Amino acid sequence: MPLFNRITAILLAFLLIGPMSPVEARTKKGDKFLVQGRANEDKKEWDLALENYEKALSEDPSEMVYQMATMKARFQAGQVHVDLGLKVRAKGQLGDALVEFQKAYAVNPSSAVAEQEILRTRDMIERERKRVEQTGKEATPEQKALTPSDQEKKQTLDRIRRILPVPELKPLNPAPINLKINGQQIKVLFETVGKVAGINVLWDPEYQTPPAPRDRLNVDFENSTVEQALDYLSVITKSYWKALSANTIFITNDNPNKRRDYAEMVAKTFYLSNINTPQELQEVMNVIRSVSELQRVVVYNSQNAIIVRGEADQVALAEKMIKDIDKPKSEVVVDIIVMEASSVFSRQLTSALASTGLNMPINFNPRASIQAQSTSSSTTTTSGTTTTGTTTGTTTTPTSSTSGLAIPLNQIGHIASSDFSLTLPNALLQAVLSDTKTKVLQSPQVRSVDNVKATLKIGEREPTASGSFQPGIGGVGINPLVNTQFQYIDVGVNVEITPRVHDNGDVSMHVNLDISSVTGTVNLGGIDQPIIGQRKVEHDIRMHEGEVNLLGGLIQQQDSKEITGIPGLNSIPLLRRLFSGESVSRNRDELMIALIPHIVRRPDLTPDNLRGIAVGNATSIKLSYAAAEPEAGTPPPPAAGPAGAPVPPAAAAAAPPAAAPGAQAPATPPMPPATAPPDAAPPATAPPATAPPGDAAPPAGSARVHFSPAQVETSWSNNITVALALDGGTDVAAAPMQIQFDPKMLRLNDVARGDFLSSDNQPAVFTKNIMNDTGTVAIQLNRMPGTPGVNGSGVLVTMTFQAVGRGTTVVSVPNLSVRNSQGQVIATASPQLAVNVK
């Protein structure tokens, strides 16, 4: 019964446990998809692998193997689409790249990089769309591939390259004089330059001019940019100017108080990509703060960033310095060759009866007829103790005993030679030669960054006892515990190198080379301690790239020769080999250490990093910029006459060549100045205005220019939009104009180019200069040189006004001249717009 009860209990336990155990989750169909997915994974076909894994997971969603495979394939498939999108976008194919990034996000919605690239690519597509709307042409694939950050870096690099160095005195270029003004006041000088450049000039109400006659100056500009002309005037008049917008400047007296009040402040964050430690980041901040005189500089170690705030020129100077400093460090690969060779040669030659000498005892063995008895004698040890002062010594003589045979005296006469025995030496013939050679070659490589220590350890760590302590106190029947402390010594090849790369290809290195090995053991205090043989070199060297330097060499040679034999007989010339033995050994050890540096990254110093730049004077930092080079495909800016009137490209191309210096050349009719001061006088050297040859006989035409609508009625503060249209045009290529309105009644918010001159999808040049304070706007509207004109009707420009006063006013376009592709005038008009503001 007990056995039956036990079996019954076991069966019941199995029945109870059985339903609680989990059922096998994996299915045959799911395993089939799993195998197919792994086959696709081996082929790097992650999309197919993910599809198969998801099918397997749908068969058994609780299976952990299916879940892990699906998650891995989802991440890899998304990353593959991201990588492909980056490659496609680098070729300028923004639409295809966006599709790939969207696929990556659809595959793996948790991919943050896919979401970031989708937003970035959409911004790039929107940027290209606006570019096409404004310029009428698409950018190159290289320009399309630039991300917003890459585009900003490119502009930053271009701006840094345009910083001018300290001016150098050069011969004057014998070119025609661009602007010459004699005996005019300071305000007249600045405003005349503003008229020529087409910019607005605003004055500080507290601006103070020097007393007469120092308030009138003579200036002569030749081939100068607008910034250079303003800088020249600022120097001679002790004035300070700053740009308020793209076409407006502000001028005040140059003193610390005014600069503090009006100097433009800029805040910028610089992300450093080649700085590795907070210490280096702190050093960069100290350099920026000291040289650029920036007071607000903050370091953000988490992002390797420096945030600055200061005047625009100070921030630009800091940007230039960071560009010079933030460079990848040089790197060196050093080949370390350790060569060790040892040879052991030994030779033993022995052919003798007694190679080590004669030692033949004669034994006494008497015959039985001779009565002999054994005897023994012993020597007892004696000891003595001597005490002197505190020193006690004990002398002990060891006990010795000898035994032999005693022969009665009456038996001596019976002793014969047969009672004695002698052991003769054996003959020995020995010729042994041993020659052992050992070579050890170790050739590790160490790669290190410039001025950063690199460590290489090849070998073992040997424990050595460094000390011991006894925490317990021993007593009768108690064994005190003794703990021994150990330290580990690196045994083998240990190398520490700190290189420094020079720009001429040399490498300076601080080398600490230690080659050690365990040569034996010694027992110290009951503990076997290793005996470590060491070869160590530490010094500073400077080598050229690829140069082989023998860091250390050691040659040790030991010769030994040993001769044994019978004295006298071992010196006989021919027979000495029979009575002697000879052993010869030679040991030779050679050690050589060589270093060979190879530069894998050199200092990346460009001419922009090495050239000096002008930074102003001791009290203020001022940078000067050269004229920016126009981008490829950008039309050249329209030429400007002495009074600032823009010249159409077609007319400029058809104009006669410039006359020789000193001769008067015909000029285009200047436009009336927009903000001429009361005492402003035209330049002394301005020639009389004459009409261009092409305008002598304008061809007749039916073209008509008018406002649409011609009359507008509105309320105060409302906006009105009108268009200036052209009807019946033939070969129209240019329509430069100047619009006048009452600034007390109207304010011009914007002027947009119409679609007439670009109706055939050819680009057109459109520039505007709105001056609401004087109620004038200068517009340059023309097609690209070399392209035919446009026929038909359309809108030239669209203007948006805002009513700022009540009453009736007129907007006019005086002396509008429409020209063809040959530069000839085909229509003239002076259209007007009547505006009634309630």
Side-chain angles (χ1 to χ4, degrees), residues 455-710:
T455 303
L456 174 65
K457 296 181 180 181
I458 303 175
E460 298 81 23
R461 304 193 72 191
E462 288 289 335
T464 60
S466 60
S468 61
F469 64 93
Q470 182 175 340
I473 300 176
V476 178
I478 300 177
N479 293 326
L481 300 176
V482 178
N483 292 336
T484 303
Q485 297 175 340
F486 290 89
Q487 67 178 4
Y488 289 86
I489 300 176
D490 294 317
V491 177
V493 178
N494 303 315
V495 182
E496 291 183 357
I497 296 179
T498 306
R500 182 65 185 271
V501 180
H502 304 278
D503 56 355
N504 62 348
D506 287 354
V507 181
S508 296
M509 292 183 290
H510 177 77
V511 183
N512 190 342
L513 181 60
D514 183 4
I515 302 175
S516 56
S517 60
V518 178
T519 59
T521 58
V522 61
N523 190 285
L524 299 176
I527 301 177
D528 291 335
Q529 301 282 2
I531 300 174
I532 299 176
Q534 187 180 50
R535 301 181 180 96
K536 185 175 182 180
V537 178
E538 182 177 0
H539 67 165
D540 296 290
I541 56 176
R542 178 165 177 164
M543 304 168 56
H544 196 68
E545 180 186 9
E547 179 183 353
V548 180
N549 179 64
L550 295 179
L551 190 62
L554 175 63
I555 299 177
Q556 181 178 2
Q557 183 171 349
Q558 180 179 359
D559 296 340
S560 61
K561 183 177 182 181
E562 181 180 0
I563 299 176
T564 60
I566 301 174
L569 298 179
N570 62 353
S571 299
I572 300 175
L574 296 179
L575 300 178
R576 66 183 183 87
R577 291 295 183 182
L578 299 176
F579 305 99
S580 64
E582 180 178 320
S583 176
V584 177
S585 64
R586 295 189 181 93
N587 297 333
R588 181 183 176 89
D589 294 331
E590 297 183 10
L591 175 66
M592 185 176 67
I593 304 171
L595 296 180
I596 307 175
H598 303 281
I599 300 176
V600 295
R601 189 194 299 272
R602 293 181 178 272
D604 185 16
L605 300 179
T606 63
D608 293 332
N609 304 137
L610 300 177
R611 69 188 182 98
I613 61 174
V615 295
N617 51 41
T619 58
S620 62
I621 292 179
K622 179 68 172 67
L623 302 183
S624 301
Y625 294 86
E629 297 182 0
E631 297 183 1
T634 303
V647 180
Q664 291 184 348
T668 57
M671 290 185 180
T675 58
D679 56 349
T685 58
T690 58
D695 295 345
S702 59
R704 185 175 69 90
V705 181
H706 61 91
F707 278 100
S708 178

Side-chain angles (χ1 to χ4, degrees), residues 39-167:
N40 297 131
E41 181 178 340
D42 294 338
K43 297 178 182 179
K44 305 302 180 183
E45 299 172 349
W46 292 106
D47 288 338
L48 296 177
L50 177 60
E51 182 179 354
N52 288 318
Y53 289 152
E54 287 179 341
K55 291 179 180 178
L57 187 62
S58 64
E59 295 294 331
D60 189 356
S62 63
E63 174 54 42
M64 185 61 65
V65 176
Y66 300 160
Q67 295 177 8
M68 293 176 61
T70 303
M71 287 188 293
K72 177 182 177 182
R74 190 180 304 279
F75 171 79
Q76 294 291 348
Q79 192 63 34
V80 166
H81 285 292
V82 170
D83 296 339
L84 183 59
L86 293 176
K87 292 180 181 179
V88 173
R89 193 175 66 184
K91 299 178 182 178
Q93 303 173 6
L94 302 182
D96 296 339
L98 181 60
V99 172
E100 292 297 332
F101 293 140
Q102 290 174 344
K103 289 181 180 179
Y105 186 77
V107 170
N108 186 12
S110 63
S111 176
V113 64
E115 184 178 359
Q116 292 174 354
E117 296 302 334
I118 288 174
L119 297 177
R120 185 178 289 114
T121 306
R122 286 176 177 173
D123 292 341
M124 296 169 65
I125 293 175
E126 181 66 18
R127 179 192 65 193
E128 295 305 317
R129 185 187 65 80
K130 292 181 179 179
R131 187 202 300 268
V132 173
E133 291 180 355
Q134 295 176 359
T135 62
K137 59 184 302 185
E138 294 185 359
T140 61
E142 292 78 9
Q143 293 175 337
K144 290 181 179 179
L146 292 177
T147 63
S149 59
D150 293 337
Q151 191 176 29
E152 181 64 25
K153 291 179 181 179
K154 181 177 179 298
Q155 294 175 357
T156 299
L157 182 60
D158 179 68
R159 184 167 60 252
I160 291 175
R161 288 177 176 174
R162 290 191 290 111
I163 299 178
L164 294 177
V166 178

Side-chain angles (χ1 to χ4, degrees), residues 35 53 125 212 274 284 297-298 308 315 325 332 343 450 473 479 506 541 573 612 614 650 683 709 794:
V35 172
Y53 289 152
I125 293 175
N274 299 293
V284 174
V297 183
V298 181
V308 302
V315 175
I325 295 175
V332 181
S343 62
D450 185 72
I473 300 176
N479 293 326
D506 287 354
I541 56 176

Side-chain angles (χ1 to χ4, degrees), residues 346-357 425-433 562-566 570 575-584:
S346 64
R347 184 187 65 189
Q348 295 180 359
L349 296 177
T350 303
S351 176
L353 297 176
S355 60
T356 58
N426 297 324
L428 176 64
L429 177 61
Q430 183 180 19
V432 179
L433 178 64
E562 181 180 0
I563 299 176
T564 60
I566 301 174
N570 62 353
L575 300 178
R576 66 183 183 87
R577 291 295 183 182
L578 299 176
F579 305 99
S580 64
E582 180 178 320
S583 176
V584 177

Side-chain angles (χ1 to χ4, degrees), residues 26-42 49 52-53 56 65-66 69:
R26 300 174 63 174
T27 63
K28 292 184 178 180
K29 193 172 182 180
D31 288 345
K32 178 182 177 181
F33 290 129
L34 179 65
V35 172
Q36 294 177 357
R38 288 177 176 173
N40 297 131
E41 181 178 340
D42 294 338
N52 288 318
Y53 289 152
V65 176
Y66 300 160

